[in-house]
């Protein structure tokens, strides 16, 4: 059976890559797009499927099974809610949803008994990097996360770095790192503070998505590092999520929970 999919953000870097992946896979079928610039048109460089500006209108008119969002946080959140309300199962790659938005979507998803997957990182290697970091944090409470992304990224720190810190919080003994009397002579020099762990965000052209989790202990350091060199690295995870969301009846946050 083909899984019928609507994609939001088809002109974006991730959206365009996701559409190519859907075309390659025999069991997946693109049936519509949501794009703020091409209402009702079949635009050049976009697939030959109906394009809607309005998500609700799209979901009402198109019989889709799943919806993939690769846009920006505020819009992605509204799209996700609209999809669930129309009984369509969302797979969300858009990063930057707030905790409140995620819990609201989680409640809606459970009420509707509909699967919804939100994953700040669809690269399987990145998910393993997070899992290994969670293991290491039990033994190394001193840890900094250095995440590096292209300079068009809107949110900082990245969703993946926050997710990594959340996972490490489950195993790490709470500790304020660094010297108790340390002073930042330039604000931000020590990075963002997440439960005593530091997150540093680098934004530069040429980068895609990279993260290093650096642990320090007496006489040793441990570095766990993952690099996405292009957006193809996320597609295997998106495909898996599209297939798995069909079997779920609630919201799952993080790809590690469906691997
Ligand atoms: P991008 O190239 O900037 O694409 C974003 C797309 O969203 C564009 O098509 C853009 O259209 C559209 N958009 C922006 N504002 C909109 C609005 N108000 N209404 C409707 N559409 C709007 O970005 P990207 O690199 O593809 O990334 C897209 C999202 O995926 C980001 O949130 C990023 O953090 C996330 N991401 C997730 C993963 C993961 O593994 N989960 C990996 C990489 C990226 P315009 O051209 O008209 O602005």
């Amino acid at each position: 059976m083909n899984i019928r999919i609507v994609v939001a953000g088809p002109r974006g870097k991730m959206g365009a890559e996701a559409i190519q992946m859907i075309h390659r896979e025999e069991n997946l079928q693109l049936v519509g797009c949501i794009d703020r610039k091409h209402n009702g048109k079949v635009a050049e460089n976009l697939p030959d499927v109906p394009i809607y500006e309005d998500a609700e209108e799209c979901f009402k008119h198109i019989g889709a099974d799943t919806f993939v969002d690769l846009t920006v946080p505020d819009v992605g959140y509204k799209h996700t809610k609209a999809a669930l309300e129309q009984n369509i199962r969302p797979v969300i790659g858009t990063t930057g949803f707030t905790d409140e938005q995620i819990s609201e979507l989680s409640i809606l998803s459970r009420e509707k008994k509909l699967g919804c997957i939100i994953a700040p990182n669809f690269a399987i290697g990145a998910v393993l990097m997070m899992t290994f970091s969670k293991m290491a944090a039990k033994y190394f409470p001193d840890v900094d996360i250095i995440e590096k992304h292209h300079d068009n990224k809107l949110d900082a720190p990245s969703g993946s770095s926050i997710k990594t810190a959340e996972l490490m919080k489950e195993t790490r003994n709470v500790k304020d790192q660094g010297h108790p009397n340390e002073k930042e002579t330039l604000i931000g020099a020590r990075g963002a503070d997440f439960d005593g762990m530091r997150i540093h965000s680098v934004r530069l052209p040429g980068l895609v998505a990279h993260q290093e989790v650096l642990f320090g202990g007496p006489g040793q350091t441990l570095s766990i590092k993952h690099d996405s060199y292009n957006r193809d690295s996320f597609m295997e995870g998106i495909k898996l999520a599209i297939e798995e969301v069909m079997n779920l009846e609630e919201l799952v946050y993080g790809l590690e929970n469906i691997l």
Side-chain angles (χ1 to χ4, degrees):
M1 188 198 82
N2 276 357
I3 304 177
R4 294 164 57 82
I5 306 160
V6 168
V7 171
R11 283 176 298 109
K13 292 179 282 300
M14 283 290 283
E17 194 81 38
I19 283 169
Q20 283 185 30
M21 179 276 288
I22 291 167
H23 282 318
R24 281 196 303 270
E25 299 298 331
E26 277 187 4
N27 62 332
L28 307 184
Q29 184 189 357
L30 184 75
V31 292
C33 287
I34 300 170
D35 175 25
R36 63 171 166 176
K37 285 196 181 150
H38 293 97
N39 199 22
K41 294 182 208 157
V42 175
E44 220 179 299
N45 302 328
L46 282 186
D48 189 7
V49 293
I51 298 169
Y52 292 82
E53 262 176 43
D54 185 78
E56 280 178 39
E57 200 189 328
C58 173
F59 298 140
K60 273 184 196 147
H61 286 92
I62 294 193
D65 302 305
T66 71
F67 159 65
V68 175
D69 195 279
L70 297 158
T71 62
V72 291
D74 286 353
V75 176
Y77 166 70
K78 287 183 196 143
H79 289 169
T80 311
K81 209 170 160 189
L84 284 169
E85 277 160 359
Q86 294 297 324
N87 299 315
I88 296 171
R89 294 158 189 262
V91 169
I92 307 304
T94 302
T95 56
F97 285 17
T98 63
D99 289 348
E100 291 74 29
Q101 288 173 332
I102 294 170
S103 40
E104 203 181 306
L105 292 170
S106 181
I107 292 166
L108 183 59
S109 158
R110 208 172 303 129
E111 275 170 13
K112 302 282 277 181
K113 288 198 183 344
L114 278 178
C116 173
I117 296 174
I118 302 180
N121 203 320
F122 277 113
I124 289 171
V127 173
L128 292 174
M129 176 250 310
M130 293 180 211
T131 307
F132 299 152
S133 298
K134 179 180 172 180
M135 290 165 71
K138 182 174 177 189
Y139 306 100
F140 291 90
D142 290 273
V143 52
D144 276 30
I145 301 175
I146 303 131
E147 59 96 342
K148 305 178 196 171
H149 283 83
H150 57 89
D151 58 347
N152 285 323
K153 186 166 177 59
L154 293 179
D155 52 320
S158 69
S160 303
S161 65
I162 295 173
K163 177 78 188 168
T164 310
E166 283 169 357
L167 289 172
M168 291 197 292
K169 190 178 169 183
E170 290 175 25
T171 54
R172 173 181 172 268
N173 288 325
V174 180
K175 179 174 182 187
D176 279 328
Q177 297 178 194
H179 196 282
N181 298 331
E182 78 178 11
K183 203 195 284 172
E184 275 185 339
T185 52
L186 207 54
I187 298 292
R190 292 283 285 121
D193 185 335
F194 185 107
D195 206 42
M197 295 175 264
R198 297 291 171 162
I199 306 180
H200 311 267
S201 298
V202 178
R203 297 291 176 263
L204 285 173
L207 293 170
V208 179
H210 316 262
Q211 180 168 298
E212 181 176 8
V213 187
L214 187 58
F215 298 90
Q220 58 181 326
T221 61
L222 169 67
S223 170
I224 302 175
K225 192 165 174 282
H226 176 263
D227 298 278
S228 280
Y229 296 109
N230 60 48
R231 288 169 180 80
D232 209 18
S233 60
F234 305 113
M235 294 306 132
E236 205 180 332
I238 293 184
K239 176 179 187 286
L240 180 71
I242 290 171
E243 291 166 348
E244 286 299 315
V245 80
M246 299 304 295
N247 306 320
L248 296 173
E249 294 194 340
E250 60 183 354
L251 185 148
V252 170
Y253 179 70
L255 191 67
E256 68 282 7
N257 294 313
I258 58 162
L259 283 179

